[in-house]
Amino acid sequence: VSKQSAQGFICKINLQMADAVKAPDIAEKLQELSVDWQKRGNTNYRNYKMCDLQWTAFIIGVDKYNAEFEINGCLVAAARNGGPMALVNKKDNFLSGGTHLLKDHIVMFNACGKMTSKVPWKEKGDIVCFEYTDDEILVVVTNDCKIHMMKPKEEDMVIVKDITSQLPNTIIEGAKVHENSLVIITSKNQVYNIEDLNDCKLEPICESYKEERSITASIMQEIIVIEPSVSGSGKLEVVFPKEDGGLYRINANGVQQLDGLGNDKPVALGKILKMAQTPALAGKKGCIFLALFNEDEEMIICECNLDSGQIMKFKAGEEKPESLVWCGADSAALIYLDRVVLVGPNNAKAEFYIETFKGFSCISEVDGMRILTNDHCYFIEKVPIESENAFTTVSLDPSAHIISAYQKFLNNDPRAEDTLKNVKEENKSSLPEGIKTLIKAATAEFEPEHQKYLLKAASFAKNFISPGEFSAEDFVRTLKDLRIVNQLHVNKYGRMMTYNQYKKMKTKQFIKILLRYHHHFLAYEICDILMFEDKSMIFEDWAIKKLKYSKGGNEEDLFEEIKKKLSECPNISYKKIAMAAEQEGRKKIALGLLKNEDSIKDQVPILLSMREYEAALTIAVTNCEADIVYGIISQMKKAELTMPEIVQYCSRVDGALYYLVSYAQQKKLVEPDKDETLGSIFEFLRKLDTKNPEQVEIFKQLQSLDISVIEEYNLLADTLHMPSMKEQDKKMEFIRTKTPKSMFTRIKPCLDLYRDFLAQKGKMAADQKGKVDFCLLYTSPSPRDLSTSRMPSSA
């Protein structure tokens, strides 16, 4: 046995011994966890700690003994799916300590509480909205009609939109983010939707509704936006409480005042104090629910389809809560100063006391609820049925027997095998079902140690069934997914995402989130683990970020580094990277990258934006793309280049002058009264400096084009486009008297031949006419004859 093999064997034995020592503790812990579960009716809920939050140290800094930080004195925003968080001090909250960061900043953190960026904040307006979009951009709306958008990773990417001009003589009373859009309500009782926050164009949802009393700011804190896909009207709807009871429901059809919900037996709403909506993706089949809490301590649960959805009403509490939040889509939660109460019908409730004296904040997630305190992050969720079957001490489920057998195996108890044989004898399919239950229970655990223990127990049980009874693919895929999710919890990445949240996201969407925080290597590794082949967006985003944040240094070295890295991945869009390089003022790198772009149509626009006309012409002429060459010349004219400058650019590219003259001819034919381009060429020829070598070369190129032939062509085309033969003869007489005889003798036969050809066409059979039309399509003297003609007029 080699030394390396021996060392590996000894290491493996040591690991097994360590597992045997730890295993009893883990088994006991798993059973102890079920003791802390809280029952609401027939459903179990649990609360566990996700991580310790570090934000106190960042906020208070060196003044930690003289300053205080209380989360209930802040506005808190958090992105869904265990995403980043942001804090800003409430306007009426006094902060002690000279180094308190929240005095004049909005501070952003990852989900572990590690500060990622800070933005100076000295706005005088009151904040009416402080929320994250689905793309994890922080939106801060102030009542003086300003919208601030902040990217959590990039401090310099703070966009401020002032919409005062769109809302004269008014203030914003309330605002609500929905997906990546924003709804605002003004003091003049007008409701607007902003679909694109980059544009910030206000679109009225309906005409202003007539109400004698103006809306109060306290009412505007409770706004619900119902997306068209789940609303009763099939249109965007905005719902908020009426001050005297009931709800306003506003959509494109108008304004509706609801005092009750339901068609057969309407349920009275009363005066609504708190409102909440289940997170997106949480409701089954897109059925998202609303929870309403009124002043009579009653909870009303209804579907977002307010026209025909189901409604439930029950007594919920004895005091007014601080807020109302959904715990996934399973239960509405009343938030008090020291506890969270999950409520249900028939006075069913589950209470969780939060260990803090400085308040806490709750964020609704698709599978539960995240709780943020000064020091810790907790998670409340419904206990999966698989965990109940596996952990409960009185459980008779096969998964519980597998755990018992695995524990005996680790303790060297020979009865382990008998336990599993007994399970298999009772029901042949029970053992594979028990393995599946353990795998699902492992995915519901947040601690890696618990996951490993359950998966090892499942792997142990696999030895007692045939390969055909259980597919190993599910087991392997679960291992890969858990590896990814656990890696996200590391402080470096700081995303407190659960397995269920991860599985609800598509791989491409998940990769985009990682790239937003510059986690390119992690995204690449995840693609490898999941065997996701399209990695182009990772390489493209890496190159763009590299160009943006690599300050100083040698540009040639940077270009070579980017070029070498991009060569590892096919299907790269060099256009995007070149545009980013051009925006960062790295012109040489942009030109170098464009050489690798296959599509000419993608290359030329970027070259034109950089005013690299010669390079654009070279590419278009080399590839014989006449339309693109004409487009380049048009852009040069729009850029207000003089004709001598345009001619000089064309003269430096072999063959470009032919296209320039052809372009001039076509412009004259389409716009006969405007002969500026061709005339400018002739004017330029007359003014050429024969002593200038460069201009002499241009003169030689233009001479080779035979300008006299071009003039003859134009005269012939003009003649053929006369509406009648009489007028054509009149034009020919003009040519005979006003032009040299040699020119007339060349034009006249062409005209006669073309007339005779058209006359013969009228006597031909149908199939012959089709062939003639096809010939005319490509031999017509001008594109005006047939709009579909693709032949350059110079032909």
Side-chain angles (χ1 to χ4, degrees):
V1 180
S2 67
K3 183 179 178 181
Q4 187 176 1
S5 300
Q7 286 176 341
F9 180 69
I10 293 167
C11 180
K12 188 174 181 181
I13 290 174
N14 289 337
L15 286 172
Q16 286 177 345
M17 290 174 66
D19 283 346
V21 173
K22 288 181 182 178
D25 295 336
I26 295 172
E28 289 173 10
K29 279 182 183 178
L30 289 171
Q31 288 189 343
E32 288 173 5
L33 289 174
S34 63
V35 176
D36 296 327
W37 293 351
Q38 298 292 324
K39 231 174 177 42
R40 195 213 68 181
N42 296 321
T43 308
N44 282 311
Y45 288 86
R46 63 182 176 184
N47 178 23
Y48 59 83
K49 187 175 82 171
M50 280 186 148
C51 66
D52 295 324
L53 294 176
Q54 309 166 30
W55 51 14
T56 302
F58 290 104
I59 292 169
I60 298 175
V62 295
D63 213 12
K64 59 183 176 182
Y65 296 108
N66 300 321
E68 289 186 359
F69 161 57
E70 294 187 5
I71 197 169
N72 58 5
C74 304
L75 293 176
V76 182
R80 296 267 167 78
N81 298 315
M85 309 174 292
L87 296 177
V88 65
N89 189 47
K90 291 179 181 176
K91 204 164 189 178
D92 56 352
N93 185 48
F94 174 74
L95 295 173
S96 62
T99 60
H100 211 301
L101 196 58
L102 289 175
K103 277 189 172 180
D104 51 6
H105 286 85
I106 290 175
V107 191
M108 286 174 273
F109 307 86
N110 66 17
C112 293
K114 182 181 178 181
M115 187 173 75
T116 54
S117 58
K118 57 183 180 179
V119 178
W121 186 257
K122 297 181 181 178
E123 294 291 329
K124 295 179 180 179
D126 294 334
I127 294 176
V128 295
C129 180
F130 191 70
E131 295 181 77
Y132 276 100
T133 65
D134 284 358
D135 285 343
E136 299 188 0
I137 295 172
L138 181 64
V139 177
V140 187
V141 183
T142 53
N143 64 351
D144 56 355
C145 302
K146 289 183 182 177
I147 302 172
H148 305 253
M149 287 163 282
M150 307 171 190
K151 292 187 178 180
K153 188 67 179 176
E154 302 165 11
E155 293 182 42
D156 58 325
M157 292 301 290
V158 180
I159 303 169
V160 182
K161 299 283 187 177
D162 192 338
I163 55 173
T164 309
S165 59
Q166 299 183 69
L167 296 172
N169 305 319
T170 188
I171 63 172
I172 298 175
E173 289 286 3
K176 183 72 175 177
V177 169
H178 63 105
E179 296 183 350
N180 291 308
S181 306
L182 180 71
V183 163
I184 62 172
I185 303 177
T186 71
S187 56
K188 291 184 177 179
N189 299 349
Q190 294 170 316
V191 185
Y192 296 96
N193 182 44
I194 301 175
E195 189 69 30
D196 183 2
L197 285 169
N198 294 317
D199 185 11
C200 272
K201 183 181 178 182
L202 298 181
E203 299 173 0
I205 293 178
C206 73
E207 296 296 326
S208 59
Y209 48 95
K210 309 299 179 182
E211 181 71 14
E212 293 179 3
R213 288 166 293 183
S214 60
I215 312 166
T216 61
S218 60
I219 293 293
M220 283 298 95
Q221 291 176 0
E222 305 294 331
I223 302 174
I224 295 291
V225 181
I226 303 174
E227 297 296 334
S229 59
V230 292
S231 69
S233 63
K235 298 171 183 175
L236 188 74
E237 295 185 351
V238 180
V239 179
F240 57 90
K242 288 172 59 184
E243 197 167 10
D244 57 351
L247 295 172
Y248 283 114
R249 179 192 183 190
I250 302 169
N251 55 35
N253 298 329
V255 179
Q256 189 178 2
Q257 298 186 29
L258 303 174
D259 295 320
L261 293 175
N263 296 325
D264 299 333
K265 295 180 180 179
V267 175
L269 296 175
K271 185 174 181 178
I272 303 299
L273 303 179
K274 299 293 176 183
M275 301 175 67
Q277 184 181 25
T278 51
L281 299 179
K284 295 179 181 178
K285 297 181 181 178
C287 180
I288 299 179
F289 300 99
L290 300 182
L292 315 173
F293 185 85
N294 62 26
E295 63 180 357
D296 297 323
E297 287 87 36
E298 293 175 323
M299 182 73 75
I300 301 164
I301 307 293
C302 62
E303 293 181 20
C304 284
N305 183 349
L306 300 178
D307 293 326
S308 58
Q310 297 180 351
I311 302 164
M312 182 190 301
K313 184 177 181 180
F314 53 87
K315 192 74 174 177
E318 298 177 355
E319 56 182 309
K320 177 185 174 183
E322 296 295 314
S323 61
L324 177 63
V325 177
W326 275 92
C327 182
D330 304 302
S331 176
L334 299 175
I335 313 302
Y336 296 97
L337 290 174
D338 60 344
R339 67 193 188 280
V340 174
V341 182
L342 306 178
V343 295
N346 303 321
N347 203 29
K349 62 181 179 181
E351 290 190 70
F352 292 94
Y353 284 87
I354 309 301
E355 297 177 3
T356 179
F357 298 103
K358 298 181 179 180
F360 59 92
S361 182
C362 297
I363 293 92
S364 183
E365 297 281 7
V366 294
D367 58 341
M369 178 169 59
R370 206 168 12 144
I371 298 175
L372 309 175
T373 70
N374 272 39
D375 305 307
H376 307 293
C377 173
Y378 298 97
F379 196 76
I380 296 177
E381 67 175 354
K382 178 184 175 182
V383 179
I385 189 67
E386 291 83 9
S387 298
E388 289 185 5
N389 292 337
F391 302 157
T392 311
T393 52
V394 295
S395 175
L396 298 176
D397 191 82
S399 59
H401 290 299
I402 292 173
I403 290 176
S404 175
Y406 179 62
Q407 194 60 52
K408 289 173 183 175
F409 167 74
L410 292 174
N411 295 333
N412 296 317
D413 189 333
R415 293 175 297 172
E417 187 174 347
D418 294 335
T419 303
L420 291 181
K421 283 182 178 179
N422 292 335
V423 173
K424 195 171 183 180
E425 286 173 3
E426 288 177 11
N427 188 346
K428 190 176 180 180
S429 63
S430 59
L431 209 55
E433 289 300 321
I435 294 170
K436 290 178 183 177
T437 300
L438 285 177
I439 293 171
K440 288 184 179 178
T443 63
E445 292 301 308
F446 191 77
E447 290 293 333
E449 280 190 356
H450 300 170
Q451 296 168 2
K452 287 178 184 177
Y453 180 83
L454 294 169
L455 290 170
K456 283 180 178 179
S459 182
F460 169 71
K462 280 169 58 185
N463 296 310
F464 295 86
I465 60 174
S466 62
E469 290 181 83
F470 178 79
S471 173
E473 290 180 6
D474 294 338
F475 187 80
V476 173
R477 179 61 192 243
T478 301
L479 287 173
K480 289 181 177 181
D481 289 338
L482 285 174
R483 180 183 169 191
I484 292 168
V485 172
N486 291 336
Q487 185 66 22
L488 294 172
H489 300 163
V490 177
N491 191 33
K492 178 182 177 182
Y493 305 115
R495 178 171 281 271
M496 293 295 110
M497 179 182 277
T498 65
Y499 178 85
N500 286 330
Q501 293 166 13
Y502 163 76
K503 291 301 286 183
K504 288 180 185 291
M505 299 180 72
K506 294 181 180 178
T507 304
K508 204 165 186 178
Q509 181 187 4
F510 180 60
I511 295 299
K512 283 182 180 178
I513 287 176
L514 294 177
L515 298 183
R516 200 174 293 132
Y517 298 93
H518 306 182
H519 300 323
H520 298 94
F521 184 67
L522 178 62
Y524 182 86
E525 282 190 319
I526 288 171
C527 284
D528 271 350
I529 292 170
L530 299 178
M531 292 184 285
F532 187 70
E533 294 182 1
D534 186 11
K535 300 174 185 173
S536 58
M537 64 177 175
I538 299 174
F539 284 84
E540 289 167 14
D541 190 81
W542 171 83
I544 291 168
K545 296 289 192 327
K546 189 78 175 173
L547 288 165
K548 184 172 184 177
Y549 294 106
S550 296
K551 304 299 180 184
N554 191 325
E555 282 209 356
E556 289 184 8
D557 293 341
L558 179 61
F559 171 68
E560 289 300 324
E561 182 184 357
I562 292 173
K563 184 181 175 183
K564 183 180 177 182
K565 184 64 69 177
L566 295 180
S567 65
E568 298 174 16
C569 181
N571 305 321
I572 292 289
S573 172
Y574 287 91
K575 173 189 174 182
K576 291 181 186 177
I577 306 167
M579 286 175 68
E582 196 266 330
Q583 288 171 3
E584 294 299 322
R586 301 179 186 270
K587 199 171 181 179
K588 288 183 179 178
I589 294 178
L591 291 171
L593 290 170
L594 277 176
K595 292 177 182 177
N596 297 288
E597 180 60 60
D598 296 330
S599 172
I600 301 170
K601 291 181 179 178
D602 286 339
Q603 288 178 308
V604 170
I606 302 172
L607 291 170
L608 292 177
S609 67
M610 293 190 290
R611 300 180 73 86
E612 290 290 330
Y613 301 118
E614 187 175 336
L617 283 168
T618 302
I619 292 169
V621 172
T622 304
N623 289 276
C624 302
E625 291 284 353
D627 293 339
I628 294 177
V629 176
Y630 298 155
I632 294 169
I633 296 169
S634 296
Q635 286 296 321
M636 292 164 78
K637 288 188 70 180
K638 287 179 183 177
E640 298 182 355
L641 267 67
T642 62
M643 184 49 61
E645 289 173 328
I646 294 174
V647 172
Q648 284 178 346
Y649 273 118
C650 292
S651 67
R652 294 175 197 152
V653 179
D654 288 342
L657 278 173
Y658 289 93
Y659 286 98
L660 176 62
V661 174
S662 176
Y663 171 83
Q665 297 163 3
Q666 292 200 39
K667 290 294 283 184
K668 183 183 178 185
L669 295 177
V670 175
E671 303 174 35
D673 299 331
K674 296 181 180 179
D675 191 18
E676 299 169 5
T677 310
L678 198 59
S680 300
I681 293 175
F682 296 141
E683 183 67 23
F684 177 71
L685 280 172
R686 283 195 290 271
K687 293 181 179 179
L688 277 177
D689 183 1
T690 52
K691 294 180 182 179
N692 186 325
E694 185 180 353
Q695 293 195 5
V696 168
E697 181 61 30
I698 297 171
F699 179 73
K700 287 179 180 177
Q701 288 188 46
L702 284 169
Q703 268 192 323
S704 68
L705 296 180
D706 193 352
I707 298 298
S708 63
V709 174
I710 295 168
E711 288 180 322
E712 292 169 17
Y713 167 84
N714 288 329
L715 288 170
L716 175 61
D718 286 347
T719 306
L720 287 170
H721 282 105
M722 294 295 174
S724 65
M725 292 183 67
K726 187 176 181 181
E727 290 186 17
Q728 289 179 8
D729 291 337
K730 189 176 179 182
K731 179 70 176 179
M732 288 303 297
E733 182 61 25
F734 173 82
I735 293 170
R736 188 182 66 81
T737 56
K738 299 294 183 181
T739 61
K741 186 177 180 181
S742 59
M743 186 177 289
F744 176 75
T745 55
R746 283 196 295 269
I747 291 174
K748 184 70 167 66
C750 290
L751 178 64
D752 294 340
L753 189 64
Y754 195 74
R755 280 177 170 178
D756 183 55
F757 189 68
L758 291 175
Q760 292 295 326
K761 179 188 167 186
K763 302 174 184 178
M764 293 177 184
D767 59 332
Q768 291 176 318
K769 282 183 181 179
K771 293 175 183 177
V772 171
D773 285 337
F774 186 78
C775 292
L776 288 173
L777 177 64
Y778 288 99
T779 57
S780 169
S782 166
R784 285 194 307 179
D785 288 355
L786 289 167
S787 59
T788 54
S789 174
R790 296 181 57 83
M791 197 69 173
S793 54
S794 55

